Amino acid sequence: MTIIANLLQVIQENILNAKLTTNRNQNVQLLAVSKTQSTEKIREAYIAGQISFGENYAQEAINKKSLLEDCNIDWHYIGPIQSNKTQLIAQHFSWVHTVSRLKIALRLANARPADLPPLNICIQVNSSNEPTKNGIQLQEVADLATEIVKLPTLKLRGLMTIPAPTQDIAKQHAQFKIIHDVFVNLQQQGFKIDTLSMGMSDDYVAAIQEGATIVRIGSAIFGTRPKLKQKV
Ligand SMILES: *Cc1c(COP(=O)(O)O)cnc(C)c1O
């Protein structure tokens, strides 16, 4: 068994154990975050059974995608979105986790090719109340959700967050709980959403305990990331 295959198995066990400590019983999907990692490592994870991969840079992801055409990978876009990249993203990914402005949602909707299924969308929410962090403020989520569900080429799936990193487990829980509460509130308002994308290598256990359905894990699978320019 390769190192990556072994780490994937360890993480899947941790995910299962985290679920067992709650009574939520939600499905939890592992998204392997492969930004700046080589196509060899992605292929290794794919052969070990990993299907969904997350990338942060559109052009890098598309280059890799063309080298991995023989693999049936489900590509998720999880990076910041520049307006001039919306077309590439809408053409090449099945999910986008980082929508926080209507303007970007509209551009993605317009650029989504008609022969592809609707693009799955998560609204990125700022759970840390830090002005520098990406993501929409909590009180603005419902308005953006209302607009996104009107767009037939997009499918609103739920919320995503990247809380401020902290080793303080209680703080991790508090930040994830805020987003879970917003998620439940939207469901109660009638939005048909099923996805909470939260939790990374250092905090995914807390995220699952607070209801995450997708955890985005990079370094715990692939090791430390090479710098971007080094390797594509
Ligand atoms: C890089 C990244 C991750 C993975 O981070 P790790 O700490 O390496 O697990 C998850 N989500 C987003 C949005 C990222 O940019």
Side-chain angles (χ1 to χ4, degrees):
M1 193 186 249
T2 69
I3 292 175
I4 286 176
N6 186 52
L7 290 171
L8 281 168
Q9 189 179 315
V10 168
I11 291 165
Q12 291 289 7
E13 281 166 18
N14 292 343
I15 289 173
L16 208 64
N17 287 330
K19 276 172 55 174
L20 290 175
T21 62
T22 75
N23 53 9
R24 295 184 191 280
N25 207 26
Q26 80 272 33
N27 271 326
V28 180
Q29 189 194 346
L30 171 57
L31 181 67
V33 175
S34 48
K35 62 178 179 233
T36 80
Q37 302 289 0
S38 67
T39 51
E40 288 77 16
K41 285 191 172 185
I42 296 175
R43 189 178 290 280
E44 196 176 319
Y46 178 78
I47 289 168
Q50 180 65 33
I51 302 290
S52 302
F53 290 82
E55 289 279 343
N56 294 54
Y57 310 102
Q59 194 55 56
E60 179 199 345
I62 289 158
N63 296 347
K64 289 173 172 176
K65 205 180 158 201
S66 69
L67 295 169
L68 293 162
E69 250 167 349
D70 56 311
C71 304
N72 191 16
I73 288 176
D74 194 25
W75 295 98
H76 293 225
Y77 188 82
I78 62 168
I81 308 175
Q82 294 163 307
S83 294
N84 62 356
K85 294 284 161 49
T86 45
Q87 183 157 9
L88 282 182
I89 293 168
Q91 287 170 346
H92 288 276
F93 291 84
S94 59
W95 284 73
V96 179
H97 291 226
T98 41
V99 173
S100 57
R101 288 187 294 150
L102 179 58
K103 179 188 163 197
I104 294 292
L106 290 169
R107 290 182 68 101
L108 290 169
N110 285 333
R112 182 64 169 174
D115 58 334
L116 293 179
L119 184 58
N120 294 296
I121 300 289
C122 292
I123 295 175
Q124 184 176 356
V125 186
N126 184 333
S127 53
S128 307
N129 255 334
E130 291 176 12
T132 55
K133 280 267 161 186
N134 281 322
I136 195 170
Q137 299 299 319
L138 302 173
Q139 59 278 10
E140 296 168 0
V141 175
D143 283 349
L144 181 55
T146 301
E147 296 305 317
I148 290 176
V149 296
K150 294 177 187 164
L151 304 170
T153 54
L154 304 186
K155 184 168 174 55
L156 182 65
R157 298 297 298 266
L159 306 179
M160 177 271 207
T161 195
I162 313 174
T166 171
Q167 300 301 317
D168 182 335
I169 303 290
K171 263 199 200 125
Q172 292 179 3
H173 280 272
Q175 297 189 117
F176 290 132
K177 182 176 185 311
I178 290 171
I179 304 304
H180 183 262
D181 288 348
V182 176
F183 176 72
V184 170
N185 194 270
L186 288 174
Q187 286 180 324
Q188 286 165 350
Q189 289 178 50
F191 288 99
K192 298 209 169 25
I193 51 175
D194 58 7
T195 301
L196 251 188
S197 166
M198 55 186 200
M200 318 204 315
S201 292
D202 292 330
D203 58 12
Y204 68 95
V205 170
I208 291 166
Q209 290 170 334
E210 297 300 336
T213 68
I214 297 182
V215 290
R216 309 178 310 267
I217 300 187
S219 43
I221 300 169
F222 298 111
T224 320
R225 273 184 284 281
K227 291 268 188 306
L228 178 58
K229 295 294 172 206
Q230 217 168 304
K231 223 176 202 185
V232 166

